Amino acid sequence: MRVAVLGSGSRGNSVLVASHDTRILVDAGLSGKEMASRLDRLGIAPEAVDGILVTHEHGDHTRGVGVFARRFGTPLYMTPGTRSACAALLRGKETVHSYTPGRPLTIGDLRIDPFLTVHDALDPVAVTVTGTKCGIRIGIATDLGRPTAGIRHSLARCDFLILEANHDEEMLRAGPYPASVQARISSSHGHLSNRAAATFACELAHPRLTGLFLAHLSGSCNRPELAHATVSRALAGAGWKGFLAVASQDAPTEFVDIPVLRSLRETDQLSLLP
């Protein structure tokens, strides 16, 4: 089971998950050309993607959906509400499957459990993706105004997380956005701050959580080193030691092999024993 973030931020979001012979994208917010280029950099042919699951209709999650699907024949998975909101991106030549939050769907070797999240979109979801053969579970929540009890339950016991750390609260207040946009970003239907992400990450940390990508950083109200420091300090205080990295807007992350990462982590831990 492997995972990479092709890009994440206000200019486009897309996550690649691969297990055995199955590869899916969660969201396609980069241009079709850019997604194909970044997949190539990770050694994945764009034609080999088995599906794109769209979490909501915002352009930074859907920009390349139609172009990529038509060019490479990739099936799309959308809720009915999201499909309706994305009508302008589609030409009727795409293969589109409907899914419903709270009901799992299977694409090849991957089981996807979509669940409702809190964001200012028509029908927003976050997902967990589980390898049906290996049992490894990845949680992906990149637009998250606030973590409800249901969201906490859905993301519990993941082996790897991709979690939003959108803004630093002080940088947001001093930043270029008007007060109305600041209020939207910091609202319960907006985005998680670094501090909120750190608290949420600690709530989700458990012994089998192997690693975490921080995602959807604001280009003007956050810095990668600040997000990393805030979350890593909180996780260290909670006694968790694992892989933590920040996803970039401009380049894909490394393609993380979760079983290999877990093996390395366990070896490091064992080396500390007397």
Side-chain angles (χ1 to χ4, degrees):
M1 190 88 160
R2 296 187 294 165
V3 62
V5 180
L6 297 187
S8 191
S10 58
R11 291 183 285 111
N13 298 271
S14 187
V15 176
L16 170 66
V17 180
S19 177
H20 297 280
D21 296 325
T22 304
R23 292 148 295 273
I24 68 165
L25 294 175
V26 177
D27 290 326
L30 306 166
S31 72
K33 180 179 179 181
E34 187 62 25
M35 284 194 301
S37 173
R38 295 190 188 191
L39 286 166
D40 283 335
R41 290 169 64 177
L42 294 170
I44 301 294
E47 300 87 350
V49 175
D50 296 292
I52 301 173
L53 184 134
V54 182
T55 62
H56 64 289
E57 77 273 14
H58 289 168
D60 58 332
H61 293 259
T62 61
R63 186 167 295 113
V65 162
V67 171
F68 193 97
R70 290 190 293 274
R71 181 177 179 186
F72 300 110
T74 314
L76 302 176
Y77 296 80
M78 301 177 171
T79 69
T82 297
R83 180 177 183 175
S84 176
C86 292
L89 299 172
L90 307 177
R91 301 289 181 267
K93 299 179 180 179
E94 306 85 1
T95 300
V96 183
H97 301 284
S98 293
Y99 73 85
T100 303
R103 296 183 180 179
L105 62 146
T106 300
I107 303 174
D109 296 326
L110 296 172
R111 168 181 161 139
I112 300 143
D113 287 273
F115 53 94
L116 289 172
T117 187
V118 183
H119 191 54
D120 58 354
L122 181 65
D123 204 10
V125 303
V127 298
T128 58
V129 183
T130 305
T132 58
K133 295 180 179 179
C134 63
I136 291 173
R137 190 168 181 240
I138 299 169
I140 303 170
T142 59
D143 289 66
L144 188 61
R146 60 184 171 87
T148 63
I151 293 170
R152 289 185 177 90
H153 175 75
S154 296
L155 291 174
R157 300 179 302 281
C158 284
D159 298 278
F160 199 96
L161 288 169
I162 299 171
L163 185 66
E164 168 175 80
N166 177 257
H167 60 277
D168 172 76
E169 293 167 356
E170 292 184 6
M171 289 183 68
L172 178 63
R173 284 192 290 269
Y177 297 128
S180 60
V181 176
Q182 291 184 30
R184 177 247 168 193
I185 291 170
S186 61
S187 75
S188 62
H189 285 71
H191 295 278
L192 289 186
S193 69
N194 292 340
R195 186 170 62 176
T199 299
F200 193 30
C202 289
E203 292 174 354
L204 296 173
H206 62 98
R208 284 187 60 81
L209 178 63
T210 302
L212 194 153
F213 278 132
L214 301 179
H216 215 306
L217 271 69
S218 168
S220 57
C221 299
N222 209 349
R223 296 193 307 273
E225 63 273 16
L226 182 57
H228 189 282
T230 302
V231 177
S232 64
R233 183 166 55 245
L235 286 169
W240 183 84
K241 296 180 180 179
F243 172 87
L244 177 66
V246 179
S248 167
Q249 179 70 91
D250 299 319
T253 65
E254 61 183 295
F255 208 174
V256 173
D257 187 309
I258 296 171
V260 170
L261 184 64
R262 172 168 290 150
S263 177
L264 292 172
R265 179 179 178 228
E266 290 172 350
T267 299
D268 288 343
Q269 288 178 339
L270 289 172
S271 68
L272 298 176
L273 296 176

